[in-house]
Amino acid sequence: MAAAKKLMSVRRDWRERDVRVVLAALIIAVATVATIALFASQLQRTLVSSASSFLAADRQLEAENGRPVPEIWITEAANLGLETGRMVEFSTMVFGSDAFQLVSIKAVSNEYPLRGDLEIQGATEGSREQVQHGPAPGEVWINPRLLRLLDIKIGDSLEVGSQNLTVSGVLLREPDGGFSLSALAPRVMMHVDDVASTGVIQEGSRVEYVYLFAGKETALDTYYQWLEPQLEPSHEWEGVRDGETFSRSLERAESFLLLGGSLAVLLAAVAVAVASRQYALSQRDTVALLKTLGLGSSGIGRLYLKRLSLWGVTGMIGGLLVALPLFWLLTRLLSEALERPVEFQLDSSALTPALLTAVVSLFAFAYPPIRRLRNVPAMRVLRSQPGETGREALPDMLIAIVAVFGLVWLYAGELSLVIALLGGLALLLGALGLLGSLLVAALRKVRGGGHSWRLALVGLYRHRRASLSQIAVFAMTLMLATTLILVRTSLLDDWQAQLPDDAPNHFLINIAPDSIDEVAGYWKERGQPLDQLYPMVRGRLTELNGQPVKEVVSKDQRVGALNRELNLTWMTALPKDNSIVEGNWFEAGQTDGVSVEAELAGKLGLALGDELTFTIGSDKVTETVTSIRTVQWDSMKPNFYMAFPPEGGLTNMPATWITSFYLPKDKKSALNEFSRRFPTVSLLEIDNIIERIQEIVRQVTQAIEAILVLILAAALVVMAAVVSATLQDRQREGALLRTLGGRQRLLVRSTMLEFALLGGFAGILGVAAAEAAVWALQFRMFEGSFKWHWHVVLPIPVISAVVLSLFGRWQLRPVLSVSPMLLLRRLE
Amino acid sequence: MQTTHYDSQRPMLSVENLTHRVSLETDTLTILKGVSLEINRGESVAIVGRSGSGKTTLLGLLAGLDTPTEGTVELDGAIISKLSEDERAQLRAHRVGFVFQSFQLLPALTALENVMLPLELAGMDAPEKRAKELLERVGLGERLAHTPRQLSGGEQQRVAIARAFASEPAIMFADEPTGNLDNRTGQEISDLLMALNQEQGTTLVMVTHDEQLAARCSRQFHIEAGELTEPVAQVELAH
Ligand SMILES: Nc1ncnc2c1ncn2[C@@H]1O[C@H](COP(=O)(O)OP(=O)(O)OP(=O)(O)O)[C@@H](O)[C@H]1O
Ligand SMILES: [Mg+2]
């Protein structure tokens, strides 16, 4: 069937504009969704492994009761195929040649770290090296400051308890450096096997046994299920996903990727819908002729179904061919940003949504109009028949919308996203219907004439159906693209605001009340003033409404905050990045009440008016909950679960002060003198951690930009689809106008104006709908962190108007350059 | 009513009391009213009448491209309205050919492929060989690989005629086949159409405004406002 085959071949199809648009839309959709999904899963793996390195493992089990856990717990983990490792953490005095210092010891087993790496310097003048093990037995690695504090150098020995250990390196960075405020003293890392012989751990010493686990997520889950019933309150199971300070940022990045993918799906669907409807219209003559030549309607149906399938396959293959190199490129970028190799790993399950997108958009959007081709009357060969009204397409459209939003749901797994986008679209279409009818009513009054403005308005009126549907599609496209731009902007702004270049990267803890002024003065002199100082009182939450808290709160809720001492504070003003969600902040002069952090309140089931009893040393303090507030945990500033008013429940309790400040790398030497002058003040250096977070943010930002470009490409295809749908009509009209004596300049001006009006109107609607969608989205997906970005969205209608009017001008080219006669013939 | 002059066979086309209405937004429009006629095998018939009188509508109904509101059309022994859509398509594929005023060639296919298409759809053997023969017969042996856009109107109509006769139809319908052509070219196309009709012994039903062409047919039906008026007396042609 050479001729029939040729009629249906994709190669021939490619020459048809509408088919090209369908195929381009499919390819871009598959490519975008596949790239995003592949990259998201790659990013997820990389970030989890980055994040895991913050624990030096995938999970940690901490025993804060000073006793090791039963050996069977470790063997069971090994049986499940998990890697395990062990650490013992405690504080003790160490002695150099003639000085001593309180240090924080971390004794690690051979396996440490299971994730991430350490950075050390093996010789005084040696270079930094990255290693994946701790010191060997008999050796220690120490914080560089300790060298000076104790006046020792690499190769000297350090007395830990009754053992002399050799300082074989300087510890520059440990993966799980963390910034829990318990790490107060300079770090000394040693081998766990040396701990017993030092003799420093006695019955009753404050020791923390920490166990590291790494392996497959499923094995970890199985293990935790086994372990959980045996855990005591003093045991804490920690994963990367909870509690770590930057996990929220990552979740938002993930949400962004999902949003981007979902928008790609929607844009593809719109493009495929528009182009295939146009294609179906253009095929009616062919179908009528084929029927006349003896092809039955089922034959027609099969023919087009086959063709549709061919498109689908082409779209999938083409999309993957685009996606794979792109993904490879993004992975390269990622690896550059991280300055370490990232394994290029194709997660085949990530491809499913991409392929499904092609299938769903083809069958939900392209198939219905093409299926209706079967019903084209053969009589059409003799006389053109009344065309489709578009009304018969309505049920199909509804089904298609359900299908595509189902796809988005499946893809993003976020019902709120689907609802926000659907809501935005519904709003848009509603507004469009209303404005459209107003517009039509207003334009009806305009009469044509020699003026380009009037001609443009008449043009809009004459094409009111086409104009409205064009505005609808443009506005929809602009809405989707704007949504993404808005989300991106606030995401980046957020990160920027959260971790500015001069974000505080050092904490000072344990500042005695009478040395506050001196400490502040020391740093002010060196040009690094301290941030706000907060008092800190350590205490446990022991009773809730008079009942022991361990009885009231079930163990499943596993609230880490209950297991350890909480840092309690008092303050006058609510910190800027906190916000009250329930109740009221302390009034001036108020002395009763306590303000609780929202997440903890949720976990404990606290409500306003509940009575909390804290045990502070040997005292008990009871206060009523008067407000619940959110805290920016990733702000790198001191944050508190519990805040009291000044002169409130914490009056007369032993308080020390805490603060943070920014210290650039080149001024780090100032820390040595500080430690000597204020030996009781503890210093927490988190500059390494902050640097790493900034690095991760940078790489995610790059990925986001890349995806934005992809989406904008998809949006352009949609625009092209819509414009090309009316191209012929407009060219024919232009030619007619010229035949009838219209001056070129008039034609150009009125067409450009008409498109500018179209673009501007669509732009305004699209931006408004995007703001609505983003407003809805922010509550669920992005935790209300959005600000309005009028400077970002305002130019969009203008750009859209300008671009479209240029597009209109460009469309007119053939009309202007060719004689009207020739054009009319060509457009026959 | 016209009766058959041949006893030995059923007529090629027989129409009984054909009425066709279309519903418009406000009322219904009756385009054809009680048309009855018979056309015998091998006859050539012209349908003539003023513009808007219903000629095209009648042709579409006769050819089974559309179904009438009332009345029956029996084409080559089959009652059209009783056939399913696919059976009608089958009938068209094997027994019916068409020539149109606006040629109706598929712009994407070459002349050769346009002619091959119905042969392939009817599942005939060696479509390419047969299509080449026909194009040579209509004088386009040198233009096989050209697409419709590269051909003049007259040449396009030749391709269309080649396509129409390709599957050796029993009956040929033509709607103003020379309507879009100048006089001379129209004359050439008429000659070609009549000649091929003669060679293949096809029944020809043709709508035309061209009096000369109508006169070359063995009979003429005159239609006025959707009704057949008395047929113009049969014209004897000197063969
Ligand atoms: N589907 C339809 N809806 C409305 N009116 C129709 C429809 N089909 C045909 N008509 C009308 O029926 C009348 C007959 O049309 P038809 O095309 O058969 O005329 P015609 O004799 O072929 O004219 P011409 O010589 O100009 O081609 C015309 O007035 C036409 O407008
Ligand atoms: Mg007609």
Coordinates of all heavy atoms in Angstrom, one line a residue, chain A residues 47-94:
Chain A
L47 N 21.3 14.4 47.2 CA 21.1 15.2 48.4 C 20.9 14.4 49.6 O 21.4 14.7 50.7 CB 19.8 16.1 48.2 CG 20.0 17.2 47.1 CD1 18.8 18.0 47.0 CD2 21.2 18.0 47.3
V48 N 20.2 13.2 49.5 CA 20.1 12.4 50.6 C 21.4 11.9 51.0 O 21.8 11.9 52.2 CB 19.1 11.2 50.3 CG1 19.3 10.1 51.4 CG2 17.7 11.7 50.3
S49 N 22.3 11.6 50.0 CA 23.6 11.2 50.5 C 24.4 12.3 51.0 O 25.2 12.1 52.0 CB 24.3 10.4 49.3 OG 24.8 11.4 48.4
S50 N 24.2 13.5 50.5 CA 24.9 14.7 51.1 C 24.3 14.9 52.5 O 25.1 15.1 53.4 CB 24.5 16.0 50.3 OG 25.2 16.1 49.2
A51 N 23.0 14.8 52.6 CA 22.4 15.0 53.9 C 22.8 13.9 54.8 O 23.0 14.1 56.0 CB 20.9 15.0 53.7
S52 N 22.8 12.6 54.3 CA 23.2 11.5 55.1 C 24.6 11.8 55.7 O 24.9 11.4 56.8 CB 23.3 10.2 54.3 OG 22.0 9.8 54.0
S53 N 25.4 12.5 54.9 CA 26.8 12.7 55.4 C 26.7 13.6 56.7 O 27.6 13.6 57.5 CB 27.7 13.2 54.3 OG 27.3 14.5 54.0
F54 N 25.6 14.3 56.8 CA 25.5 15.1 58.0 C 25.3 14.2 59.3 O 25.5 14.7 60.4 CB 24.3 16.1 57.9 CG 24.6 17.3 57.1 CD1 24.7 17.3 55.8 CD2 24.9 18.5 57.8 CE1 25.1 18.4 55.0 CE2 25.2 19.6 57.1 CZ 25.3 19.6 55.7
L55 N 24.8 13.0 59.0 CA 24.7 12.1 60.1 C 25.9 11.1 60.0 O 26.0 10.3 60.9 CB 23.5 11.2 59.9 CG 22.1 11.9 60.2 CD1 21.0 10.9 60.0 CD2 22.0 12.4 61.6
A56 N 26.7 11.2 59.0 CA 27.7 10.2 58.7 C 27.1 8.8 58.5 O 27.8 7.8 58.5 CB 28.8 10.1 59.8
A57 N 25.8 8.8 58.2 CA 25.1 7.6 58.0 C 23.7 7.9 57.5 O 23.4 9.0 57.3 CB 25.0 6.8 59.4
D58 N 22.9 6.8 57.2 CA 21.5 7.1 56.8 C 20.7 7.3 58.1 O 19.7 8.1 58.1 CB 21.0 5.9 56.0 CG 21.7 5.8 54.6 OD1 22.1 6.9 54.1 OD2 21.7 4.7 54.1
R59 N 21.0 6.6 59.1 CA 20.3 6.7 60.4 C 21.2 6.7 61.5 O 22.3 6.1 61.4 CB 19.2 5.6 60.6 CG 18.2 5.4 59.5 CD 17.1 6.5 59.6 NE 16.0 6.2 58.7 CZ 16.0 6.4 57.4 NH1 17.1 6.8 56.8 NH2 15.0 6.0 56.7
Q60 N 20.8 7.3 62.6 CA 21.6 7.2 63.8 C 20.7 6.8 65.0 O 19.6 7.2 65.0 CB 22.2 8.6 64.2 CG 23.5 9.0 63.5 CD 24.1 10.2 64.2 OE1 23.6 10.7 65.2 NE2 25.2 10.7 63.6
L61 N 21.3 6.0 65.8 CA 20.6 5.6 67.0 C 21.4 6.2 68.2 O 22.6 5.8 68.4 CB 20.4 4.1 67.2 CG 19.8 3.6 68.5 CD1 18.3 4.1 68.6 CD2 19.9 2.1 68.6
E62 N 20.8 7.1 69.0 CA 21.6 7.7 70.1 C 21.0 7.1 71.4 O 19.8 7.1 71.6 CB 21.4 9.2 70.1 CG 22.1 9.9 69.0 CD 21.7 11.4 68.9 OE1 21.2 11.9 69.9 OE2 21.9 11.9 67.8
A63 N 22.0 6.7 72.2 CA 21.6 6.3 73.6 C 22.1 7.3 74.5 O 23.3 7.4 74.7 CB 22.2 4.9 73.9
E64 N 21.2 8.1 75.1 CA 21.6 9.2 75.9 C 21.6 8.8 77.4 O 21.8 9.6 78.3 CB 20.6 10.4 75.7 CG 20.8 11.0 74.4 CD 19.7 12.0 74.0 OE1 18.6 11.9 74.7 OE2 19.9 12.9 73.2
N65 N 21.4 7.5 77.7 CA 21.3 7.1 79.1 C 22.7 6.6 79.6 O 22.8 6.1 80.7 CB 20.3 6.0 79.2 CG 20.5 4.8 78.3 OD1 21.5 4.8 77.6 ND2 19.6 3.9 78.3
G66 N 23.7 6.8 78.7 CA 25.1 6.4 79.2 C 25.3 4.9 79.2 O 26.3 4.5 79.7
R67 N 24.5 4.2 78.5 CA 24.7 2.7 78.5 C 24.7 2.3 77.0 O 23.9 2.8 76.2 CB 23.6 2.0 79.2 CG 23.7 1.9 80.7 CD 22.8 0.9 81.3 NE 21.5 1.0 80.8 CZ 20.5 1.8 81.4 NH1 20.8 2.5 82.5 NH2 19.3 1.9 80.9
P68 N 25.6 1.4 76.6 CA 25.5 0.9 75.2 C 24.2 0.1 75.0 O 23.6 -0.3 76.0 CB 26.7 -0.1 75.2 CG 27.5 0.2 76.4 CD 26.7 0.8 77.4
V69 N 23.8 0.0 73.8 CA 22.6 -0.8 73.5 C 23.0 -2.3 73.5 O 24.1 -2.6 73.3 CB 22.0 -0.3 72.2 CG1 21.6 1.2 72.2 CG2 22.8 -0.7 71.0
P70 N 22.0 -3.1 73.6 CA 22.3 -4.6 73.5 C 22.9 -4.9 72.2 O 22.6 -4.4 71.2 CB 20.9 -5.2 73.6 CG 20.0 -4.2 74.2 CD 20.6 -2.9 73.9
E71 N 23.9 -5.8 72.3 CA 24.7 -6.2 71.1 C 23.8 -6.8 70.0 O 24.1 -6.6 68.8 CB 25.7 -7.3 71.5 CG 26.9 -7.4 70.6 CD 27.6 -6.1 70.2 OE1 27.7 -5.2 71.1 OE2 28.0 -5.9 69.1
I72 N 22.7 -7.4 70.4 CA 21.8 -8.0 69.4 C 21.2 -7.0 68.4 O 21.0 -7.3 67.3 CB 20.7 -8.8 70.1 CG1 19.6 -9.3 69.1 CG2 19.9 -8.0 71.1 CD1 19.5 -10.7 68.9
W73 N 21.1 -5.7 68.9 CA 20.6 -4.7 68.1 C 21.5 -4.5 66.9 O 21.1 -4.2 65.8 CB 20.4 -3.4 68.8 CG 19.3 -3.4 69.9 CD1 18.6 -4.5 70.3 CD2 18.8 -2.3 70.6 NE1 17.7 -4.2 71.2 CE2 17.8 -2.8 71.4 CE3 19.0 -0.9 70.6 CZ2 17.0 -2.0 72.3 CZ3 18.3 -0.1 71.4 CH2 17.3 -0.6 72.3
I74 N 22.8 -4.6 67.1 CA 23.7 -4.4 66.1 C 23.8 -5.6 65.1 O 23.8 -5.4 63.9 CB 25.1 -4.1 66.7 CG1 25.0 -3.0 67.8 CG2 26.1 -3.7 65.6 CD1 24.4 -1.7 67.3
T75 N 23.8 -6.8 65.7 CA 23.9 -8.0 64.9 C 22.6 -8.1 64.0 O 22.7 -8.5 62.9 CB 24.1 -9.2 65.7 OG1 23.2 -9.2 66.8 CG2 25.5 -9.3 66.3
E76 N 21.5 -7.7 64.6 CA 20.3 -7.8 63.8 C 20.4 -6.9 62.5 O 20.0 -7.2 61.4 CB 19.1 -7.4 64.6 CG 17.7 -7.3 63.9 CD 17.2 -8.7 63.4 OE1 17.8 -9.7 63.9 OE2 16.4 -8.7 62.5
A77 N 20.9 -5.7 62.7 CA 21.1 -4.7 61.6 C 22.0 -5.3 60.6 O 21.7 -5.3 59.4 CB 21.6 -3.4 62.1
A78 N 23.1 -6.0 61.0 CA 24.0 -6.6 60.1 C 23.3 -7.7 59.3 O 23.5 -7.9 58.1 CB 25.3 -7.1 60.8
N79 N 22.5 -8.5 60.1 CA 21.8 -9.6 59.4 C 20.9 -9.1 58.3 O 20.6 -9.7 57.3 CB 20.9 -10.3 60.4 CG 21.7 -11.2 61.4 OD1 22.9 -11.4 61.0 ND2 21.2 -11.5 62.5
L80 N 20.3 -7.9 58.5 CA 19.5 -7.3 57.5 C 20.2 -6.6 56.3 O 19.7 -6.0 55.4 CB 18.5 -6.3 58.1 CG 17.4 -6.9 58.9 CD1 16.7 -5.8 59.7 CD2 16.4 -7.6 58.0
G81 N 21.6 -6.8 56.4 CA 22.4 -6.3 55.3 C 22.7 -4.8 55.5 O 23.2 -4.2 54.5
L82 N 22.5 -4.3 56.7 CA 22.9 -2.9 56.9 C 24.4 -2.8 57.3 O 24.9 -3.6 58.0 CB 22.0 -2.3 58.0 CG 20.5 -2.2 57.7 CD1 19.8 -1.7 58.9 CD2 20.3 -1.2 56.5
E83 N 25.0 -1.7 56.9 CA 26.3 -1.4 57.4 C 26.1 -0.7 58.8 O 25.1 0.0 59.0 CB 27.0 -0.3 56.5 CG 27.4 -0.8 55.2 CD 28.0 0.3 54.4 OE1 29.1 0.8 54.7 OE2 27.3 0.9 53.5
T84 N 27.0 -1.0 59.7 CA 26.8 -0.4 61.0 C 28.2 0.2 61.4 O 29.2 -0.1 60.9 CB 26.4 -1.4 62.1 OG1 27.4 -2.4 62.2 CG2 25.1 -2.0 61.7
G85 N 28.1 1.2 62.3 CA 29.3 1.8 62.9 C 29.0 2.3 64.3 O 27.8 2.3 64.7
R86 N 30.0 2.6 65.1 CA 29.8 2.9 66.5 C 30.6 4.2 66.8 O 31.7 4.4 66.3 CB 30.4 1.8 67.3 CG 29.5 1.3 68.4 CD 29.8 -0.2 68.6 NE 31.2 -0.6 68.6 CZ 32.0 -0.7 69.7 NH1 31.5 -0.2 70.9 NH2 33.2 -1.1 69.6
M87 N 30.0 5.0 67.7 CA 30.7 6.2 68.2 C 30.4 6.3 69.7 O 29.3 6.0 70.2 CB 30.3 7.5 67.5 CG 30.2 7.4 66.0 SD 30.1 9.1 65.3 CE 28.5 9.6 65.8
V88 N 31.3 6.9 70.4 CA 31.1 7.2 71.8 C 31.5 8.7 72.0 O 32.5 9.1 71.5 CB 32.0 6.4 72.8 CG1 31.6 6.7 74.2 CG2 31.8 4.9 72.5
E89 N 30.6 9.5 72.6 CA 30.8 10.9 72.7 C 30.8 11.3 74.2 O 29.9 10.9 74.9 CB 29.8 11.7 71.9 CG 30.0 11.5 70.4 CD 29.0 12.4 69.6 OE1 28.3 13.2 70.2 OE2 28.8 12.1 68.4
F90 N 31.8 12.0 74.6 CA 31.8 12.5 76.0 C 32.7 13.7 76.1 O 33.5 14.0 75.2 CB 32.2 11.4 76.9 CG 33.5 10.7 76.6 CD1 34.7 11.2 77.1 CD2 33.6 9.7 75.7 CE1 35.9 10.6 76.8 CE2 34.8 9.1 75.3 CZ 36.0 9.5 75.9
S91 N 32.6 14.4 77.2 CA 33.5 15.5 77.4 C 34.5 15.1 78.5 O 34.2 14.4 79.4 CB 32.7 16.7 77.9 OG 31.8 17.1 77.0
T92 N 35.7 15.6 78.3 CA 36.7 15.3 79.3 C 37.9 16.3 79.2 O 37.9 17.1 78.3 CB 37.3 13.9 79.2 OG1 38.1 13.6 80.3 CG2 38.1 13.7 77.9
M93 N 38.7 16.3 80.2 CA 39.9 17.2 80.2 C 41.0 16.4 79.4 O 41.2 15.2 79.6 CB 40.4 17.4 81.6 CG 39.6 18.4 82.3 SD 39.7 20.1 81.5 CE 38.6 21.0 82.6
V94 N 41.8 17.1 78.6 CA 42.9 16.5 78.0 C 44.1 17.4 78.3 O 44.0 18.6 78.6 CB 42.8 16.4 76.5 CG1 41.7 15.4 76.1 CG2 42.6 17.7 75.8

